[in-house]
Amino acid sequence: MLKPTNTVKRLQEYADLVFIPYVKDQLQHAQSLDIIWDDYATNSLKATTREKREHGVRQRVQSLTTVPKNWKEFLRADENTKEIFSFLAQQIPPVKFGDGKRVITTKGEQVLCSPRQFDNSSLTPCNHMETDTRILVHAAGHKNIVILAFMTNDP
């Protein structure tokens, strides 16, 4: 997960000044980019494993929310992670990434796109809980793909 810079004060600034520029940078090398997030289901085997881990402090994720000082601790709380993934996914559709550029992102079971008129019916609903199986659905039919993986606890 991309760490916020010291100049970023609110989560909307994190989206605008860290996340979206990173997405635009990745599109320098591709026509299409799929951003696939984990879906944190409460009744899964993985949820039980996560329950045993160290927990972070719960903080609501909204555009005016102050960026947490301890980003790693913030991401340890499943609800924070779930909400930040959803928040960042919502930032994608309104952005114009350039002619011929396409960004697709998951938001729970939804699939959001920029440009909005892209036909995503083959990808939705995205009901695989794990990112690794979600990736396979998005990779199907492509001849060349590059996969970048970030963990929520990456530096």
Side-chain angles (χ1 to χ4, degrees):
M1 188 76 179
L2 303 168
K3 278 184 82 173
T5 62
N6 292 335
T7 59
V8 173
K9 303 295 181 217
R10 306 266 182 230
L11 289 178
Q12 188 63 55
E13 292 174 4
Y14 172 76
D16 295 340
L17 302 175
V18 177
F19 178 68
I20 295 298
Y22 178 81
V23 171
K24 287 180 177 179
D25 185 59
Q26 295 306 303
L27 283 170
Q28 297 294 316
H29 315 288
Q31 289 298 110
S32 177
L33 181 66
D34 291 41
I35 302 168
I36 304 161
W37 310 99
D38 268 334
D39 190 20
Y40 286 75
T42 54
N43 59 350
S44 70
L45 181 60
K46 224 172 176 187
T48 306
T49 304
R50 284 193 306 269
E51 277 295 313
K52 295 176 185 174
R53 287 190 212 144
E54 189 177 339
H55 296 285
V57 176
R58 177 71 176 108
Q59 183 175 343
R60 293 284 298 163
V61 174
Q62 298 174 328
S63 59
L64 295 178
T65 300
T66 301
V67 171
K69 294 201 184 309
N70 189 332
W71 189 247
K72 280 186 175 185
E73 183 177 318
F74 167 75
L75 293 174
R76 282 189 191 120
D78 285 351
E79 283 300 311
N80 293 348
T81 305
K82 187 176 182 177
E83 285 185 9
I84 195 75
F85 289 173
S86 177
F87 175 75
L88 293 174
Q90 289 173 249
Q91 306 305 305
I92 296 297
V95 177
K96 291 180 175 47
F97 290 101
D99 289 339
K101 301 289 184 176
R102 179 186 77 194
V103 178
I104 298 170
T105 187
T106 58
K107 180 185 172 209
E109 289 193 9
Q110 293 179 301
V111 176
L112 308 176
C113 305
S114 174
R116 291 179 196 252
Q117 65 272 18
F118 176 76
D119 179 17
N120 64 7
S121 59
S122 66
L123 300 172
T124 191
C126 188
N127 53 13
H128 298 271
M129 275 190 282
E130 299 299 325
T131 303
D132 49 358
T133 55
R134 286 176 172 224
I135 289 170
L136 296 175
V137 174
H138 285 256
H142 294 286
K143 291 181 181 178
N144 297 314
I145 64 167
V146 174
I147 298 172
L148 299 173
F150 294 96
M151 302 295 289
T152 54
N153 58 0
D154 279 350

